[in-house]
Amino acid sequence: MCDYGPMDTCDIIVIGGGAAGLMAAGQAARSGARVLALEKMDYPGRKLGITGKGRCNLTNTAAHAAFLKRFGSGARFLLPSLEAFDNRSLMDFFSGIGIGLVAERGGRVFPAGVRAPRVARALRAWCEGCGARIVCGCPATEIMHEGGRVTGVRCGQRAFSCRAVIAATGGASYPRTGSTGDGYRLAGALGHTIVPARPALIGLVTRERGLCACDGLSLRNCRARLLISGRERAEEFGELQIAGYGLNGPVILTLSGMAVDALLARKKVQVSIDLKPALSREKLHARLKRDIGSRGAEKLGSLLRGLLPRELVGVCCTQAGLKPGSPASALKQPETERLIDWLKNFTHTVTGHRPLDEAIITAGGVSTAEVDPNTMESKLVRGVYFAGEILDLQADTGGYNLQAAFSTGHAAGLAAAEALYGDSNSRFL
Ligand SMILES: Cc1cc2nc3c(=O)[nH]c(=O)nc-3n(C[C@H](O)[C@H](O)[C@H](O)COP(=O)(O)OP(=O)(O)OC[C@H]3O[C@@H](n4cnc5c(N)ncnc54)[C@H](O)[C@@H]3O)c2cc1C
């Protein structure tokens, strides 16, 4: 636990010691500013320390255009800060602070041979090495301002004066890591529009939940289609999991943002899973014919175990109206069609989503319309900057969200420090 220091006056206060805040604080301090980072938890970088299932998927090797596509409508806002500090720059940065990196499937970049907490510690050490002071156990409760300009930060009874504030408090998911939506209240009190927070990258609750004893069953190489009001809106290929409450796993997380928004708009949401995407209907017919030819005396349930995970055989028979106990050779044409329909369209009706607490990302936050994308400065209050997940900016899994936190943190830290040069009170003059 850190103690309060004597530094009640400084140039820049960074609120939040996560990925964005540590990057912002370090960059600003490196530029010569006196920087105080206030972190409400007992140590910084708690969320960073649990990312990527403990492995920390720091960024992605995707080229700029493909990278930006992952941010949907947020791409335009991210563009300048990503161009200024992109995935290559971030990889160089981490290599420079002693974290070797390795790119894996899908361009996902991970630290080589070290776990996520080690990355968080290295970032903290770099930040402090740049000269920033980190004060832990210090939740900011108000950003003070006067005449349209920031004047300081209040933490309960204690007030710190400064000339710039970088708000990097994260979103509202995984509150045990410190991100509890404080930033929305702080920014809202300054007059900023807060796009309502909602979960993104989240498991989906389905009507079919509990249909089978499949909790935790992983289905690889599936194609999942998201249907909204009966129309296909998105498609993903890869791995998904059947959970006790419904569906989860990488493919579902990617589809979940759109699904949650459609649920909020009270639209009908379904996920249709093609369990055999590599086999056309014709090929499936041929495969079944061959199987029945050689194993026709076996029970249908037993034959299906060659096509499906054991846990799904009962669900398949129930939903497709098949008799698992009858001989496979007794399968009639209409039953074969129903079986193939089921294999190509294992459909789930989405009735809800897991709570925001469990979301990998919070969608919504400070409206980017009120923030300068080059500097991250508020367009409403001079000297206030935003960085990271506090912004209404979100992407798919794959390292994109951390890159956005680092890019926006980098931009905010540099811009806040540079702005001090134009300030007659600055020690730079
Ligand atoms: C389980 C999980 C796994 C993830 N894995 C990945 C991954 O592998 N790759 C990827 O790209 N993204 C991943 N993400 C998303 C990624 O972690 C976040 O997008 C990123 O951490 C956001 O950084 P941030 O600095 O904006 O916010 P945070 O990392 O949440 O940091 C915000 C900080 O602000 C502090 N704070 C909050 N309020 C106050 C206050 N009032 N005063 C002072 N301090 C305050 C918090 O304590 C916290 O330390 C994952 C998320 C989760 C939940």
Side-chain angles (χ1 to χ4, degrees):
M1 177 82 120
C2 315
D3 293 323
Y4 287 109
M7 195 172 175
D8 282 6
T9 303
C10 59
D11 294 322
I12 299 171
I13 292 181
V14 178
I15 308 177
L22 291 174
M23 176 59 77
Q27 291 300 342
R30 259 181 94 204
S31 306
R34 291 170 303 172
V35 180
L36 177 61
L38 304 176
E39 167 52 50
K40 84 182 213 190
M41 304 303 277
D42 53 356
Y43 63 90
R46 273 185 178 238
K47 188 173 276 181
L48 188 58
I50 60 162
T51 52
K53 295 188 177 142
R55 293 193 57 217
C56 190
N57 179 193
L58 276 168
T59 185
N60 196 288
T61 56
H64 277 200
F67 203 107
L68 284 164
K69 223 171 155 188
R70 299 298 188 136
F71 287 83
S73 58
R76 243 176 114 90
F77 178 84
L78 184 66
L79 179 67
S81 61
L82 183 71
E83 275 186 340
F85 190 69
D86 65 4
N87 43 4
R88 302 280 151 205
S89 318
L90 185 68
M91 288 187 252
D92 289 346
F93 168 84
F94 275 105
S95 302
I97 65 168
I99 303 290
L101 301 170
V102 55
E104 296 187 5
R105 196 165 46 93
R108 291 164 190 254
V109 176
F110 292 91
V114 296
R115 308 275 302 166
R118 169 82 179 75
V119 176
R121 287 198 296 277
L123 188 62
R124 177 191 187 159
W126 167 80
C127 180
E128 289 178 324
C130 290
R133 182 179 172 84
I134 301 172
V135 176
C136 296
C138 189
T141 49
E142 184 191 344
I143 297 174
M144 299 183 294
H145 59 106
E146 219 178 281
R149 207 178 191 339
V150 74
T151 55
V153 172
R154 196 180 296 284
C155 296
Q157 299 298 313
R158 185 155 184 158
F160 299 86
S161 65
C162 63
R163 294 199 287 278
V165 169
I166 301 173
T169 50
S173 68
Y174 274 68
R176 67 189 154 88
T177 65
S179 48
T180 52
D182 291 5
Y184 306 148
R185 291 181 282 278
L186 296 173
L190 299 177
H192 273 278
T193 305
I194 308 300
V195 178
R198 57 210 189 278
L201 304 184
I202 187 81
L204 298 175
V205 176
T206 64
R207 198 165 64 197
E208 293 75 11
R209 65 184 180 275
L211 227 175
C212 50
C214 298
D215 194 3
L217 175 69
S218 249
L219 302 173
R220 288 168 203 272
N221 302 322
C222 293
R223 176 170 293 123
R225 294 181 303 131
L226 180 70
L227 308 172
I228 296 175
S229 305
R231 285 184 54 203
E232 182 175 331
R233 295 297 304 278
E235 182 188 273
E236 282 294 319
F237 180 85
E239 183 183 340
L240 63 83
Q241 275 137 30
I242 310 266
Y245 55 78
L247 298 171
N248 203 345
V251 155
I252 298 301
L253 294 182
T254 302
L255 297 175
S256 66
M258 217 182 261
V260 170
D261 286 345
L263 285 170
L264 287 171
R266 300 187 173 279
K267 293 186 177 155
K268 183 175 182 190
V269 182
Q270 291 165 300
V271 174
S272 172
I273 304 167
D274 181 349
L275 293 160
K276 296 286 169 200
L279 298 179
S280 62
R281 291 186 71 95
E282 293 67 36
K283 283 189 176 156
L284 269 171
H285 267 291
R287 160 91 189 259
L288 279 169
K289 202 171 159 191
R290 206 176 56 234
D291 286 357
I292 291 171
S294 59
R295 298 164 56 196
E298 283 181 35
K299 289 182 177 163
L300 178 62
S302 150
L303 185 103
L304 288 179
R305 280 206 275 277
L307 268 177
L308 286 170
R310 186 176 39 82
E311 297 91 329
L312 279 185
V313 170
V315 186
C316 168
C317 290
T318 308
Q319 292 193 339
L322 307 173
K323 294 193 184 84
S326 50
S329 58
L331 201 67
K332 302 276 185 309
Q333 182 66 18
E335 291 166 329
T336 307
E337 295 300 336
R338 289 206 301 274
L339 171 58
I340 292 174
D341 278 347
W342 188 88
L343 290 168
K344 301 296 279 178
N345 292 294
F346 177 27
T347 302
H348 300 252
T349 302
V350 180
T351 54
H353 53 74
R354 297 297 291 168
L356 179 57
D357 282 15
E358 290 178 22
I360 303 291
I361 283 290
T362 310
V366 174
S367 167
T368 53
E370 295 162 357
V371 179
D372 180 333
N374 294 295
T375 60
M376 300 296 140
E377 189 175 15
S378 160
K379 291 179 183 172
L380 308 186
V381 181
R382 275 202 64 200
V384 172
Y385 299 77
F386 297 100
E389 206 177 313
I390 186 176
L391 289 160
D392 178 24
L393 194 64
Q394 56 278 327
D396 297 338
T397 55
Y400 304 100
N401 288 295
L402 276 175
Q403 176 72 52
F406 288 124
S407 293
T408 54
H410 181 268
L414 283 187
E418 272 168 22
L420 297 176
Y421 286 95
D423 184 334
S424 58
N425 292 323
S426 172
R427 70 195 175 105
F428 293 131
L429 293 176

